[in-house]
Amino acid sequence: MVEKNIAALVVPSGDPHQSEYMADFWQARQWLTGFTGSAGTAVVTKDAAILWTDFRYWIQAASQIGTSDFELFKQGEPGVPAFEAWLYQTLSSGDIIAMDGKIVSAANVKKYKKVFTEKGMTLATDVDLIADIWTDRPPMPASRAWMLSDTYAGKTRLEKLDQIRSAMAKTGANTHLMTTLDDIAWTFNLRGEDVRNTPVNLAFALVTLDRAILFINPSKVDGKLVSAFGQDNIELLPYTRVEEILGSLGQETRIRLDPDFVGYAFYQAVDPKVWIIEKINPATELKAVKNETEINHMRQTAIKDGVAMVNFLHWIENRTDSAQVSEMSVAKTLFDFRKQQLDFYNNSFDPIMAYGEHSAMCHYSATPESDVPLKREGMFLNDSGGNYLTGTTDITRTLNLGTPAKQEIKDYTLVLKGHICVASALFPEGTKGFQIDTLARQFLWKEGMNFGHGTGHGVGFFLCVHEGPAKISPFPIDVELKKGMLLTNEPGLYREGRYGIRLENMILVVKDRKTEFGQFMKFENMTLCHFETSMVDRELLCQKEIDYLNTYHQQVYERLSPVLDPQVAAWLKKKTAPI
Amino acid sequence: MVEKNIAALVVPSGDPHQSEYMADFWQARQWLTGFTGSAGTAVVTKDAAILWTDFRYWIQAASQIGTSDFELFKQGEPGVPAFEAWLYQTLSSGDIIAMDGKIVSAANVKKYKKVFTEKGMTLATDVDLIADIWTDRPPMPASRAWMLSDTYAGKTRLEKLDQIRSAMAKTGANTHLMTTLDDIAWTFNLRGEDVRNTPVNLAFALVTLDRAILFINPSKVDGKLVSAFGQDNIELLPYTRVEEILGSLGQETRIRLDPDFVGYAFYQAVDPKVWIIEKINPATELKAVKNETEINHMRQTAIKDGVAMVNFLHWIENRTDSAQVSEMSVAKTLFDFRKQQLDFYNNSFDPIMAYGEHSAMCHYSATPESDVPLKREGMFLNDSGGNYLTGTTDITRTLNLGTPAKQEIKDYTLVLKGHICVASALFPEGTKGFQIDTLARQFLWKEGMNFGHGTGHGVGFFLCVHEGPAKISPFPIDVELKKGMLLTNEPGLYREGRYGIRLENMILVVKDRKTEFGQFMKFENMTLCHFETSMVDRELLCQKEIDYLNTYHQQVYERLSPVLDPQVAAWLKKKTAPI
């Protein structure tokens, strides 16, 4: 820093694809600070070393940076400035701040530049100090890339490129830059293992109205792939050449890109004379709406994943006393149940197996240090999912391993009421997720309770378990819930130091009736697994809610029992008995 | 246009203050097209004359422009381009488009410029063709300005300026431009009659950290006012001098202004070397949170306005057959009932007195041509409000003048369920209006129904009946519902060509309990008037809803009966009897 006259180095969490889950190669912030959480920003100046992270990670970060020189700033706490505001306050006019422009979005860099420029400070985005000093940096991921068959994907690469090109043309674009790995995987029907639990490949893509270039490490692509792409008129170039090609675009280019997801370095690489159209990627919008083939696969996947879950819950309840079960071991058990299912590929995320007070932490992840045995009492929250060739799943169930207390039953019932209210909602076409979110919270609010996460997120098809652009959340994301969108419905309740509850199904947006007030939509449940009727206080439910629960349970039993072991089916019959 | 080489003239609805209701002086679009609705944009080119307006006015506009050369473009209809898109498509590179930069917000002009520049067209904002040719233009309003006593306002001008200056300083501003008339009226505790039904004065204001300038026509201000302002160190300058003063600001100026509400001409008038901080006006945020004095006044106003409303509804039900009553005449009758109340000043808006199928039009306004007599049958929706020195009111009630049909009762009950759900909601501190909106709609949605307006809007204190920044609406306005905010709660249902229902009270945000999940908020009803129990289907209500209605009715009776005529009180006793 002294050599390069840099007053502050900013090391955020990020990769050149703005991924939620990143390969180790880009875990620079973790390497620098020792903090392993998924979100945080480190800042180093002459006099200070500070780590910002949000409330989810305050305890973990404090413990992990304990012996280092880093100080923890609790992001979001009243009086704690954001890192850019802190730099604005602390540094002086003329100072240079360095940040790797590859891993921070163009939108964020522009925002930071505006703040710093106001005080005469400079943001340098072309300095990567970390690359020079991180000597034991893990290698770039280099998994083999492979084709997802059209029989799973439902649409060919060329059909998808056609859709993308129509969307481009509508906004006057003749070129489109994609940096987001799931959009690229979806568009090219390509899968890989470059990111843990997310079947994607490191790549960039540039689509014009008649060509497409995929920037991918040549060692990842075998001859069969090369020839398949050749047939589809898709050019392959090395991953590292994207900036050079962006710099050589002709002035007649009108490039569409999403500044929230394109790294600043790539945005800057585009010739300044080229017209940039800032808009969401067409693939982001297109892949969120599942096609008929995908939907049919997912209906089957619901059965497979339901069987794995019911086997797991049956095993939990009937395990012998001698069985050594802990949070970490049951994660393995559930994985094994899923692995028995056809077309299973991997977990869709690291499962949250949270026993007792651990269940009160929304983002708990058991480690050898935190792992505890599961006793014959207490609350157990399990949130997990599988990636199948036939779709991605995400499910949460909560149960008491002994006899539930009165308050646990009341809390479970209130969370279930919210879950049912969303699942059985009817809503006008054009409704957005933030309008649905309140349905899940209203019964908790009435009792002075709430939960600190969104009600639901989009889910990919054999892709990311968290997929944009739609959400069901109090955060006002201006995206309509369209027919074919796959989301989760997962209200919860967390009593710190005691227990947490979350009840999650996947739901698909489908059409309902058309009235004089327009087209109405509803949700179809895409998860088949019983809830714990032993934790339901019938008195707190209205008749319609009771009917919903009984109908759902009947459906769970009817669809799963034919493929379950008879003994497990008999157990499920009891678990799904009408209340 | 030919003389000045202008290819297209755009005449939007607007004044230099971005007012919702405007003085006649600025009704240029109405003068040009003949269309009297509140929102619309006229465009004139060599070959075309087009009026854009939204769905509320399609029928009215078509009829009003009938014999003119204007063509109607139905704004929002699929396939109908926005006016800027139409100009983009129709005109050529090099063409000049003219628009009065005084009456269009800086934010909108910037947006239009971006579109036009893309095609090499120019937007000229300093040409006011209308001013030259509109020979019988009404005069500028020039009502007397007068002081609202601190005993009503609750805070002095200097206290309010202090609050504004603190807010300015927090964003690094040393100067602040206000163009919005209600913000100026609130800040300076000034009222007037320059705009129909809204007690404001035409003015601009410039606030620095130690001075304030009010730009107002000198003939509006008497000696007493001049000396009062002098004492408070507030300088008075003529209304027309604001641009000149903005142009003369020193380079050390950091001016805060809201580009959505400041006309482009004023934004442009600021010396380009001055740093502009684009942010909502502090006064907009401050005045939305009512102070204790205002709240106490409003609780009394609720009784006064409630008495007027109950007198009116009693009169409607008990009018003799010989009484000549029509939509327009009952508006006058209600006005007279309000006028009997202490501190009444004027209507807060033109009342909507909508009988029969007229009630299905949300924005119906009776004219001599549309006016119909009220019979002893059919639905009657009345939406009205008063401006009192002690606060502004807004209330809607719907009744059947004969015997309600089964469907009318069901519809009324479903709307009432939504109204009750909002009124009785508990919600965490920090909740925003769009999160509450769904509570009002969910019962209608379940039946495939909906209504096409927001659930509620902010209300001023003896100011605008529609006041920002908070709303209860599906439109995601990112503003928290803070303690002290006054809003409306007005779900509805409209069956085109048949009838409409709307049930509106004003509600105040107040604190409720604090739990382990944080501070919770609720609403206090600020409107006292019964609903029609004869239109309520008790079977569709749950016990909590029945309890709410009975408790509210008991409160209405207890607060109003002591000040009602005994005969009316006896009638109210029956109307508020428990169901």
Side-chain angles (χ1 to χ4, degrees), chain A residues 118 254 275 424 426 435 438 442 446 448 495 515-516, chain B residues 118 254 275 424 435 438 442 445-446 448 495 515-516:
Chain A
E118 222 181 287
R254 299 167 62 89
W275 188 276
S424 61
L426 209 70
Q435 296 180 260
T438 305
Q442 57 183 334
K446 276 268 180 202
R495 295 193 181 270
T515 73
E516 63 173 297
Chain B
E118 220 180 290
R254 298 167 63 87
W275 188 275
S424 61
Q435 296 180 260
T438 305
Q442 57 183 333
W445 283 1
K446 275 269 179 202
R495 295 193 182 270
T515 73
E516 64 173 296

PDB file of all heavy atoms in Angstrom, chain A residues 118 254 275 424 426 435 438 442 446 448 495 515-516, chain B residues 118 254 275 424 435 438 442 445-446 448 495 515-516:
ATOM      1  N   GLU A 118     -16.870  13.291  -3.897  1.00  0.00           N
ATOM      2  CA  GLU A 118     -17.394  14.452  -3.184  1.00  0.00           C
ATOM      3  C   GLU A 118     -16.338  15.073  -2.275  1.00  0.00           C
ATOM      4  O   GLU A 118     -16.377  16.254  -1.976  1.00  0.00           O
ATOM      5  CB  GLU A 118     -18.590  13.981  -2.349  1.00  0.00           C
ATOM      6  CG  GLU A 118     -19.761  14.911  -2.373  1.00  0.00           C
ATOM      7  CD  GLU A 118     -20.888  14.373  -1.505  1.00  0.00           C
ATOM      8  OE1 GLU A 118     -21.550  13.386  -1.907  1.00  0.00           O
ATOM      9  OE2 GLU A 118     -21.096  14.915  -0.420  1.00  0.00           O
ATOM     10  N   ARG A 254     -24.595  -1.696 -29.330  1.00  0.00           N
ATOM     11  CA  ARG A 254     -25.461  -1.234 -28.254  1.00  0.00           C
ATOM     12  C   ARG A 254     -25.574  -2.418 -27.305  1.00  0.00           C
ATOM     13  O   ARG A 254     -26.317  -3.348 -27.542  1.00  0.00           O
ATOM     14  CB  ARG A 254     -26.822  -0.821 -28.790  1.00  0.00           C
ATOM     15  CG  ARG A 254     -26.706   0.344 -29.811  1.00  0.00           C
ATOM     16  CD  ARG A 254     -27.986   0.546 -30.567  1.00  0.00           C
ATOM     17  NE  ARG A 254     -29.063   0.904 -29.663  1.00  0.00           N
ATOM     18  CZ  ARG A 254     -29.359   2.156 -29.309  1.00  0.00           C
ATOM     19  NH1 ARG A 254     -28.688   3.156 -29.816  1.00  0.00           N
ATOM     20  NH2 ARG A 254     -30.334   2.404 -28.477  1.00  0.00           N
ATOM     21  N   TRP A 275     -22.694   2.375 -26.797  1.00  0.00           N
ATOM     22  CA  TRP A 275     -23.894   2.696 -26.011  1.00  0.00           C
ATOM     23  C   TRP A 275     -24.209   1.521 -25.075  1.00  0.00           C
ATOM     24  O   TRP A 275     -24.346   0.392 -25.521  1.00  0.00           O
ATOM     25  CB  TRP A 275     -25.073   2.961 -26.960  1.00  0.00           C
ATOM     26  CG  TRP A 275     -26.278   3.474 -26.256  1.00  0.00           C
ATOM     27  CD1 TRP A 275     -27.245   2.736 -25.616  1.00  0.00           C
ATOM     28  CD2 TRP A 275     -26.663   4.845 -26.099  1.00  0.00           C
ATOM     29  NE1 TRP A 275     -28.178   3.561 -25.083  1.00  0.00           N
ATOM     30  CE2 TRP A 275     -27.865   4.869 -25.356  1.00  0.00           C
ATOM     31  CE3 TRP A 275     -26.108   6.061 -26.507  1.00  0.00           C
ATOM     32  CZ2 TRP A 275     -28.510   6.053 -25.025  1.00  0.00           C
ATOM     33  CZ3 TRP A 275     -26.762   7.238 -26.175  1.00  0.00           C
ATOM     34  CH2 TRP A 275     -27.949   7.231 -25.437  1.00  0.00           C
ATOM     35  N   SER A 424     -52.380 -20.986   0.174  1.00  0.00           N
ATOM     36  CA  SER A 424     -53.748 -21.046  -0.327  1.00  0.00           C
ATOM     37  C   SER A 424     -54.221 -19.708  -0.885  1.00  0.00           C
ATOM     38  O   SER A 424     -55.398 -19.525  -1.157  1.00  0.00           O
ATOM     39  CB  SER A 424     -54.681 -21.503   0.793  1.00  0.00           C
ATOM     40  OG  SER A 424     -54.629 -20.576   1.862  1.00  0.00           O
ATOM     41  N   LEU A 426     -55.084 -16.538  -3.226  1.00  0.00           N
ATOM     42  CA  LEU A 426     -55.515 -16.210  -4.577  1.00  0.00           C
ATOM     43  C   LEU A 426     -55.110 -14.759  -4.744  1.00  0.00           C
ATOM     44  O   LEU A 426     -55.261 -13.969  -3.800  1.00  0.00           O
ATOM     45  CB  LEU A 426     -57.032 -16.341  -4.629  1.00  0.00           C
ATOM     46  CG  LEU A 426     -57.660 -16.726  -5.956  1.00  0.00           C
ATOM     47  CD1 LEU A 426     -57.323 -18.174  -6.281  1.00  0.00           C
ATOM     48  CD2 LEU A 426     -59.183 -16.582  -5.860  1.00  0.00           C
ATOM     49  N   GLN A 435     -46.222  -8.025  -1.890  1.00  0.00           N
ATOM     50  CA  GLN A 435     -47.633  -7.961  -1.525  1.00  0.00           C
ATOM     51  C   GLN A 435     -48.086  -9.257  -0.850  1.00  0.00           C
ATOM     52  O   GLN A 435     -49.040  -9.262  -0.090  1.00  0.00           O
ATOM     53  CB  GLN A 435     -48.492  -7.697  -2.768  1.00  0.00           C
ATOM     54  CG  GLN A 435     -48.220  -6.360  -3.422  1.00  0.00           C
ATOM     55  CD  GLN A 435     -49.100  -6.154  -4.647  1.00  0.00           C
ATOM     56  OE1 GLN A 435     -48.677  -6.337  -5.774  1.00  0.00           O
ATOM     57  NE2 GLN A 435     -50.351  -5.796  -4.431  1.00  0.00           N
ATOM     58  N   THR A 438     -46.810 -10.173   3.498  1.00  0.00           N
ATOM     59  CA  THR A 438     -47.574  -9.871   4.715  1.00  0.00           C
ATOM     60  C   THR A 438     -48.516 -11.010   5.106  1.00  0.00           C
ATOM     61  O   THR A 438     -48.806 -11.201   6.285  1.00  0.00           O
ATOM     62  CB  THR A 438     -48.376  -8.565   4.520  1.00  0.00           C
ATOM     63  OG1 THR A 438     -47.459  -7.535   4.148  1.00  0.00           O
ATOM     64  CG2 THR A 438     -49.085  -8.150   5.781  1.00  0.00           C
ATOM     65  N   GLN A 442     -48.934 -11.906   9.229  1.00  0.00           N
ATOM     66  CA  GLN A 442     -49.991 -11.214   9.949  1.00  0.00           C
ATOM     67  C   GLN A 442     -50.383 -11.888  11.271  1.00  0.00           C
ATOM     68  O   GLN A 442     -50.681 -11.191  12.243  1.00  0.00           O
ATOM     69  CB  GLN A 442     -51.208 -10.993   9.056  1.00  0.00           C
ATOM     70  CG  GLN A 442     -51.773 -12.271   8.464  1.00  0.00           C
ATOM     71  CD  GLN A 442     -52.944 -11.986   7.508  1.00  0.00           C
ATOM     72  OE1 GLN A 442     -53.633 -10.990   7.616  1.00  0.00           O
ATOM     73  NE2 GLN A 442     -53.161 -12.873   6.567  1.00  0.00           N
ATOM     74  N   LYS A 446     -49.924 -10.045  15.006  1.00  0.00           N
ATOM     75  CA  LYS A 446     -51.047  -9.873  15.945  1.00  0.00           C
ATOM     76  C   LYS A 446     -50.636 -10.197  17.370  1.00  0.00           C
ATOM     77  O   LYS A 446     -51.246  -9.713  18.329  1.00  0.00           O
ATOM     78  CB  LYS A 446     -52.210 -10.798  15.548  1.00  0.00           C
ATOM     79  CG  LYS A 446     -53.110 -10.216  14.491  1.00  0.00           C
ATOM     80  CD  LYS A 446     -54.274  -9.451  15.101  1.00  0.00           C
ATOM     81  CE  LYS A 446     -55.148  -8.886  13.988  1.00  0.00           C
ATOM     82  NZ  LYS A 446     -55.960  -7.761  14.406  1.00  0.00           N
ATOM     83  N   GLY A 448     -47.479  -9.728  18.447  1.00  0.00           N
ATOM     84  CA  GLY A 448     -46.233  -9.005  18.744  1.00  0.00           C
ATOM     85  C   GLY A 448     -44.989  -9.801  18.385  1.00  0.00           C
ATOM     86  O   GLY A 448     -43.945  -9.681  19.017  1.00  0.00           O
ATOM     87  N   ARG A 495     -36.751 -17.683  18.705  1.00  0.00           N
ATOM     88  CA  ARG A 495     -36.639 -17.171  20.069  1.00  0.00           C
ATOM     89  C   ARG A 495     -35.188 -17.388  20.500  1.00  0.00           C
ATOM     90  O   ARG A 495     -34.782 -18.509  20.812  1.00  0.00           O
ATOM     91  CB  ARG A 495     -37.596 -17.899  21.014  1.00  0.00           C
ATOM     92  CG  ARG A 495     -39.058 -17.643  20.666  1.00  0.00           C
ATOM     93  CD  ARG A 495     -39.974 -18.108  21.792  1.00  0.00           C
ATOM     94  NE  ARG A 495     -41.373 -17.893  21.448  1.00  0.00           N
ATOM     95  CZ  ARG A 495     -42.052 -16.767  21.730  1.00  0.00           C
ATOM     96  NH1 ARG A 495     -41.434 -15.775  22.352  1.00  0.00           N
ATOM     97  NH2 ARG A 495     -43.314 -16.653  21.401  1.00  0.00           N
ATOM     98  N   THR A 515     -62.027 -13.451 -13.600  1.00  0.00           N
ATOM     99  CA  THR A 515     -63.300 -12.854 -13.181  1.00  0.00           C
ATOM    100  C   THR A 515     -63.441 -11.487 -13.836  1.00  0.00           C
ATOM    101  O   THR A 515     -62.576 -11.066 -14.585  1.00  0.00           O
ATOM    102  CB  THR A 515     -63.352 -12.672 -11.649  1.00  0.00           C
ATOM    103  OG1 THR A 515     -62.477 -11.578 -11.304  1.00  0.00           O
ATOM    104  CG2 THR A 515     -62.905 -13.916 -10.910  1.00  0.00           C
ATOM    105  N   GLU A 516     -64.516 -10.768 -13.513  1.00  0.00           N
ATOM    106  CA  GLU A 516     -64.684  -9.410 -14.056  1.00  0.00           C
ATOM    107  C   GLU A 516     -63.579  -8.490 -13.537  1.00  0.00           C
ATOM    108  O   GLU A 516     -63.397  -7.390 -14.046  1.00  0.00           O
ATOM    109  CB  GLU A 516     -66.071  -8.845 -13.718  1.00  0.00           C
ATOM    110  CG  GLU A 516     -66.333  -8.659 -12.237  1.00  0.00           C
ATOM    111  CD  GLU A 516     -67.661  -7.939 -11.935  1.00  0.00           C
ATOM    112  OE1 GLU A 516     -67.822  -6.760 -12.318  1.00  0.00           O
ATOM    113  OE2 GLU A 516     -68.523  -8.567 -11.307  1.00  0.00           O
TER     114      GLU A 516
ATOM    115  N   GLU B 118     -30.849  10.013 -27.293  1.00  0.00           N
ATOM    116  CA  GLU B 118     -30.469   8.736 -27.898  1.00  0.00           C
ATOM    117  C   GLU B 118     -30.683   8.768 -29.417  1.00  0.00           C
ATOM    118  O   GLU B 118     -30.017   8.057 -30.155  1.00  0.00           O
ATOM    119  CB  GLU B 118     -31.349   7.646 -27.281  1.00  0.00           C
ATOM    120  CG  GLU B 118     -30.620   6.371 -26.991  1.00  0.00           C
ATOM    121  CD  GLU B 118     -31.570   5.345 -26.391  1.00  0.00           C
ATOM    122  OE1 GLU B 118     -31.996   5.523 -25.227  1.00  0.00           O
ATOM    123  OE2 GLU B 118     -31.878   4.381 -27.091  1.00  0.00           O
ATOM    124  N   ARG B 254     -24.075  24.158  -1.120  1.00  0.00           N
ATOM    125  CA  ARG B 254     -24.444  22.757  -1.327  1.00  0.00           C
ATOM    126  C   ARG B 254     -25.953  22.723  -1.132  1.00  0.00           C
ATOM    127  O   ARG B 254     -26.432  22.713  -0.006  1.00  0.00           O
ATOM    128  CB  ARG B 254     -23.717  21.859  -0.329  1.00  0.00           C
ATOM    129  CG  ARG B 254     -22.177  21.933  -0.496  1.00  0.00           C
ATOM    130  CD  ARG B 254     -21.477  21.298   0.681  1.00  0.00           C
ATOM    131  NE  ARG B 254     -21.798  19.878   0.763  1.00  0.00           N
ATOM    132  CZ  ARG B 254     -21.131  18.920   0.120  1.00  0.00           C
ATOM    133  NH1 ARG B 254     -20.088  19.231  -0.624  1.00  0.00           N
ATOM    134  NH2 ARG B 254     -21.490  17.668   0.244  1.00  0.00           N
ATOM    135  N   TRP B 275     -22.930  22.395  -5.828  1.00  0.00           N
ATOM    136  CA  TRP B 275     -23.184  20.970  -5.584  1.00  0.00           C
ATOM    137  C   TRP B 275     -24.660  20.782  -5.239  1.00  0.00           C
ATOM    138  O   TRP B 275     -25.180  21.421  -4.333  1.00  0.00           O
ATOM    139  CB  TRP B 275     -22.303  20.488  -4.432  1.00  0.00           C
ATOM    140  CG  TRP B 275     -22.362  19.006  -4.243  1.00  0.00           C
ATOM    141  CD1 TRP B 275     -23.288  18.304  -3.521  1.00  0.00           C
ATOM    142  CD2 TRP B 275     -21.473  18.018  -4.785  1.00  0.00           C
ATOM    143  NE1 TRP B 275     -23.040  16.966  -3.578  1.00  0.00           N
ATOM    144  CE2 TRP B 275     -21.931  16.751  -4.350  1.00  0.00           C
ATOM    145  CE3 TRP B 275     -20.344  18.090  -5.599  1.00  0.00           C
ATOM    146  CZ2 TRP B 275     -21.272  15.572  -4.700  1.00  0.00           C
ATOM    147  CZ3 TRP B 275     -19.699  16.898  -5.940  1.00  0.00           C
ATOM    148  CH2 TRP B 275     -20.166  15.667  -5.495  1.00  0.00           C
ATOM    149  N   SER B 424     -57.282  -2.720  12.697  1.00  0.00           N
ATOM    150  CA  SER B 424     -56.935  -3.435  13.926  1.00  0.00           C
ATOM    151  C   SER B 424     -55.556  -4.091  13.844  1.00  0.00           C
ATOM    152  O   SER B 424     -55.194  -4.883  14.699  1.00  0.00           O
ATOM    153  CB  SER B 424     -58.000  -4.495  14.219  1.00  0.00           C
ATOM    154  OG  SER B 424     -58.053  -5.418  13.146  1.00  0.00           O
ATOM    155  N   GLN B 435     -46.650  -2.982   2.856  1.00  0.00           N
ATOM    156  CA  GLN B 435     -46.803  -4.231   3.604  1.00  0.00           C
ATOM    157  C   GLN B 435     -48.196  -4.327   4.234  1.00  0.00           C
ATOM    158  O   GLN B 435     -48.686  -5.413   4.509  1.00  0.00           O
ATOM    159  CB  GLN B 435     -45.733  -4.329   4.693  1.00  0.00           C
ATOM    160  CG  GLN B 435     -44.319  -4.397   4.158  1.00  0.00           C
ATOM    161  CD  GLN B 435     -43.302  -4.499   5.280  1.00  0.00           C
ATOM    162  OE1 GLN B 435     -42.678  -3.523   5.655  1.00  0.00           O
ATOM    163  NE2 GLN B 435     -43.161  -5.685   5.837  1.00  0.00           N
ATOM    164  N   THR B 438     -51.890  -5.234   1.596  1.00  0.00           N
ATOM    165  CA  THR B 438     -52.474  -6.557   1.342  1.00  0.00           C
ATOM    166  C   THR B 438     -53.531  -6.934   2.367  1.00  0.00           C
ATOM    167  O   THR B 438     -54.468  -7.671   2.060  1.00  0.00           O
ATOM    168  CB  THR B 438     -51.354  -7.622   1.310  1.00  0.00           C
ATOM    169  OG1 THR B 438     -50.380  -7.231   0.342  1.00  0.00           O
ATOM    170  CG2 THR B 438     -51.894  -8.985   0.948  1.00  0.00           C
ATOM    171  N   GLN B 442     -56.979  -8.962   0.988  1.00  0.00           N
ATOM    172  CA  GLN B 442     -56.932 -10.414   0.974  1.00  0.00           C
ATOM    173  C   GLN B 442     -58.309 -11.077   0.913  1.00  0.00           C
ATOM    174  O   GLN B 442     -58.460 -12.109   0.266  1.00  0.00           O
ATOM    175  CB  GLN B 442     -56.119 -10.931   2.173  1.00  0.00           C
ATOM    176  CG  GLN B 442     -56.623 -10.473   3.516  1.00  0.00           C
ATOM    177  CD  GLN B 442     -55.724 -10.958   4.659  1.00  0.00           C
ATOM    178  OE1 GLN B 442     -55.057 -11.974   4.562  1.00  0.00           O
ATOM    179  NE2 GLN B 442     -55.713 -10.229   5.753  1.00  0.00           N
ATOM    180  N   TRP B 445     -59.502 -10.738  -2.681  1.00  0.00           N
ATOM    181  CA  TRP B 445     -58.705 -11.634  -3.540  1.00  0.00           C
ATOM    182  C   TRP B 445     -59.246 -13.061  -3.488  1.00  0.00           C
ATOM    183  O   TRP B 445     -59.374 -13.717  -4.512  1.00  0.00           O
ATOM    184  CB  TRP B 445     -57.227 -11.631  -3.091  1.00  0.00           C
ATOM    185  CG  TRP B 445     -56.441 -10.440  -3.510  1.00  0.00           C
ATOM    186  CD1 TRP B 445     -56.875  -9.363  -4.219  1.00  0.00           C
ATOM    187  CD2 TRP B 445     -55.039 -10.195  -3.238  1.00  0.00           C
ATOM    188  NE1 TRP B 445     -55.846  -8.467  -4.404  1.00  0.00           N
ATOM    189  CE2 TRP B 445     -54.715  -8.944  -3.822  1.00  0.00           C
ATOM    190  CE3 TRP B 445     -54.052 -10.898  -2.568  1.00  0.00           C
ATOM    191  CZ2 TRP B 445     -53.427  -8.393  -3.746  1.00  0.00           C
ATOM    192  CZ3 TRP B 445     -52.777 -10.357  -2.493  1.00  0.00           C
ATOM    193  CH2 TRP B 445     -52.470  -9.115  -3.080  1.00  0.00           C
ATOM    194  N   LYS B 446     -59.543 -13.512  -2.263  1.00  0.00           N
ATOM    195  CA  LYS B 446     -60.018 -14.899  -2.080  1.00  0.00           C
ATOM    196  C   LYS B 446     -61.239 -15.187  -2.930  1.00  0.00           C
ATOM    197  O   LYS B 446     -61.537 -16.337  -3.251  1.00  0.00           O
ATOM    198  CB  LYS B 446     -60.378 -15.122  -0.601  1.00  0.00           C
ATOM    199  CG  LYS B 446     -59.197 -15.497   0.273  1.00  0.00           C
ATOM    200  CD  LYS B 446     -59.015 -17.009   0.356  1.00  0.00           C
ATOM    201  CE  LYS B 446     -57.803 -17.317   1.229  1.00  0.00           C
ATOM    202  NZ  LYS B 446     -57.235 -18.636   0.975  1.00  0.00           N
ATOM    203  N   GLY B 448     -61.736 -13.657  -5.865  1.00  0.00           N
ATOM    204  CA  GLY B 448     -61.463 -13.223  -7.240  1.00  0.00           C
ATOM    205  C   GLY B 448     -61.835 -11.777  -7.494  1.00  0.00           C
ATOM    206  O   GLY B 448     -62.218 -11.404  -8.607  1.00  0.00           O
ATOM    207  N   ARG B 495     -68.101  -2.407  -9.208  1.00  0.00           N
ATOM    208  CA  ARG B 495     -68.668  -3.257 -10.274  1.00  0.00           C
ATOM    209  C   ARG B 495     -69.171  -2.330 -11.374  1.00  0.00           C
ATOM    210  O   ARG B 495     -70.210  -1.685 -11.223  1.00  0.00           O
ATOM    211  CB  ARG B 495     -69.792  -4.111  -9.727  1.00  0.00           C
ATOM    212  CG  ARG B 495     -69.316  -5.135  -8.690  1.00  0.00           C
ATOM    213  CD  ARG B 495     -70.388  -6.168  -8.397  1.00  0.00           C
ATOM    214  NE  ARG B 495     -69.951  -7.111  -7.382  1.00  0.00           N
ATOM    215  CZ  ARG B 495     -69.314  -8.249  -7.649  1.00  0.00           C
ATOM    216  NH1 ARG B 495     -69.044  -8.581  -8.899  1.00  0.00           N
ATOM    217  NH2 ARG B 495     -68.949  -9.057  -6.666  1.00  0.00           N
ATOM    218  N   THR B 515     -42.025  -6.009  22.516  1.00  0.00           N
ATOM    219  CA  THR B 515     -41.832  -7.418  22.864  1.00  0.00           C
ATOM    220  C   THR B 515     -40.381  -7.803  22.587  1.00  0.00           C
ATOM    221  O   THR B 515     -39.590  -6.967  22.150  1.00  0.00           O
ATOM    222  CB  THR B 515     -42.744  -8.333  22.004  1.00  0.00           C
ATOM    223  OG1 THR B 515     -42.210  -8.367  20.667  1.00  0.00           O
ATOM    224  CG2 THR B 515     -44.177  -7.820  21.967  1.00  0.00           C
ATOM    225  N   GLU B 516     -40.050  -9.073  22.792  1.00  0.00           N
ATOM    226  CA  GLU B 516     -38.691  -9.526  22.478  1.00  0.00           C
ATOM    227  C   GLU B 516     -38.410  -9.413  20.977  1.00  0.00           C
ATOM    228  O   GLU B 516     -37.257  -9.502  20.549  1.00  0.00           O
ATOM    229  CB  GLU B 516     -38.452 -10.968  22.964  1.00  0.00           C
ATOM    230  CG  GLU B 516     -39.317 -12.012  22.282  1.00  0.00           C
ATOM    231  CD  GLU B 516     -38.966 -13.464  22.653  1.00  0.00           C
ATOM    232  OE1 GLU B 516     -37.838 -13.902  22.341  1.00  0.00           O
ATOM    233  OE2 GLU B 516     -39.818 -14.129  23.255  1.00  0.00           O
TER     234      GLU B 516
END
